[in-house]
Amino acid sequence: MDRHIPFETLHNFRDLGGYPAGRGQRVRAGRLFRADSLGKLRPDTPDWDRFLALGVRTVIDLRHPWEIEARGRVPEDDSFTYRNLSIEHRPYDQAALTPDVDPGPYLSARFMEVAEDGTKEIAAALELVAEAREGLVFHCASGKDRTGQLAAVVLSLLGVPDEVIIEDFTLTELATPALLADWRTRNDGRSPAWPAFGRAPESVMRLFLEALRARYGSVEAYVSGALGMDAEALSATLRARLLEPAPTARPELTHRRAEPLDAPVLVRLRDTAALWQLARGIDQWQPGEKTAAHFVDRMREGEVWLTYADGAVVGAFELWWDDPAAWGPRPPEAGYIHRLMTTPHTAPPGTGRRILAHAESRITAAGRPYARLDCLSTNPRLRAYYESAGYTVVGEQHAKEDGTGSPYAVTLLEKRLG
């Protein structure tokens, strides 16, 4: 389910495999990784064993030499080669920025500086990625900005859509609390002056891609014009080495009733789905809105289910037996489906529909003839999805309350079962 690979000392180590690249292809898993500082690794530890087991043969360190001197580099090992390519030529202190600085425009402008200052180093990094026949990882300090910028160029050359590149950038948000904790530990418990420190809002990458194309016409034109590389040949080499056919099989799904110990998994799944939405301009969910306590409460008052494919979590949903906030007082005639979620890019095709069918079977087994759900009135894409699954719009609730004190409008949908 989780693109982040778990380490004790690393918080933002991710596999770029699985992203769609058009033409029925996807990025190969286990070949291209991005990370926060590998200088935190130490030999003869479980983290070091875990890292070596990934089969990484090339490490690209995008930090300044003075950062490496202060924080250390990845330990030497005969199994991989190490290159330091400092792509950022004008360092700046994010932690010291004032609260009025908007991260979107500010960081995207810094990214453009890097794109134009670090051409020699970026070109060298792209050559290493293209030459790598086994695992390669590139990293900076937090694995967010310099790492995110190089990831964006590589993924774009592979044919990965912009919304997925933006989503990949925002996944640092799942690591932000741990990155902040590390910073506070290094700084005597103080907090950064900039509230956006460690954050990765979608606006940063969106504005950077827009600015790069406005100046050069395309990412390929930037690679050709600014980096002096043959973008067509580079893209062809990257695709040949890093892409594979996307799976079309529909493995069997299994469903399990969630327990309180599953709550952190559900929080992570929802936050990941929220970042997927935001990267596509869908303003329905925000990361951090639902805590573990929410899911434990729903387990106690209704049902929460996890869905698996080949042993991995690929989705979840909540099933309520009444929903007065949206539907008002009703007789016990329906089940109310909430928070239908699937894992982006890793759930098999059709997983959402199959989870929906399982939820409907639970409602039927309870002797209730209707399945009901709602979606934000401003989310026509989700409404169309449910309508295509047999749901009919039966009304609007213009002031739904969820306990936050901010009412919102939802569209009510219903399906007769049986």
Side-chain angles (χ1 to χ4, degrees), residues 102-401:
D102 186 338
Y106 180 82
L107 289 178
S108 62
R110 303 291 77 73
F111 284 18
M112 282 301 295
E113 289 177 356
V114 170
E116 298 185 328
D117 293 347
T119 53
K120 178 182 176 181
E121 294 83 3
I122 294 171
L126 291 175
E127 288 176 351
L128 287 172
V129 174
E131 292 167 359
R133 297 183 179 275
E134 297 181 85
L136 178 146
V137 59
F138 51 93
H139 76 89
C140 55
S142 297
K144 178 171 76 77
D145 298 323
R146 289 165 286 186
T147 298
Q149 188 167 344
L150 181 58
V153 175
V154 173
L155 292 175
S156 183
L157 291 172
L158 287 171
V160 174
D162 276 6
E163 61 268 21
V164 178
I165 294 172
I166 293 169
E167 175 194 347
D168 176 70
F169 175 76
T170 66
L171 286 175
T172 288
E173 293 274 326
L174 301 179
T176 296
L179 295 171
L180 276 170
D182 275 4
W183 192 93
R184 292 186 179 108
T185 298
R186 295 194 306 268
N187 291 273
D188 301 321
R190 294 183 293 110
S191 292
W194 196 34
F197 180 83
R199 299 289 309 279
E202 59 81 25
S203 59
V204 177
M205 184 54 66
R206 176 173 49 80
L207 291 172
F208 167 63
L209 292 173
E210 290 174 358
L212 196 69
R213 291 197 175 97
R215 187 161 301 178
Y216 294 98
S218 66
V219 174
E220 291 77 10
Y222 162 73
V223 170
S224 298
L227 304 186
M229 306 178 76
D230 185 334
E232 185 176 351
L234 176 61
S235 178
T237 300
L238 290 171
R239 290 172 188 243
R241 292 186 175 170
L242 290 173
L243 298 186
E244 65 181 4
T248 57
R250 292 164 59 95
E252 181 183 357
L253 299 183
T254 58
H255 310 277
R256 177 175 69 81
R257 188 100 172 246
E259 301 173 354
L261 288 177
D262 298 313
V265 172
L266 291 158
V267 171
R268 190 84 167 183
L269 177 55
R270 187 190 181 280
D271 286 350
T272 302
L275 292 169
W276 183 95
Q277 292 176 10
L278 291 171
R280 290 155 179 78
I282 302 171
D283 188 15
Q284 173 142 343
W285 290 356
Q286 298 290 328
E289 283 180 324
K290 301 299 180 187
T291 65
H294 162 84
F295 289 103
V296 172
D297 287 344
R298 296 320 312 170
M299 293 173 203
R300 183 171 57 249
E301 298 172 7
E303 298 181 8
V304 182
W305 287 79
L306 288 165
T307 298
Y308 293 79
D310 297 327
V313 173
V314 295
F317 70 94
E318 297 175 13
L319 182 56
W320 302 8
W321 298 114
D322 65 351
D323 187 4
W327 293 81
R330 295 289 181 114
E333 61 188 3
Y336 301 83
I337 301 167
H338 286 270
R339 267 164 285 284
L340 175 65
M341 306 178 282
T342 61
T343 54
H345 316 297
T346 58
T351 294
R353 287 288 186 88
R354 294 158 76 186
I355 294 176
L356 198 58
H358 177 68
E360 292 165 0
S361 73
R362 292 290 303 165
I363 297 169
T364 298
R368 301 192 178 199
Y370 294 101
R372 290 175 179 156
L373 46 82
D374 65 76
C375 65
L376 279 181
S377 298
T378 54
N379 192 344
R381 181 171 175 173
L382 186 57
R383 168 179 165 170
Y385 175 81
Y386 286 125
E387 287 181 315
S388 69
Y391 285 77
T392 301
V393 174
V394 294
E396 297 279 335
Q397 166 58 274
H398 298 290
K400 181 179 177 180
E401 272 281 5

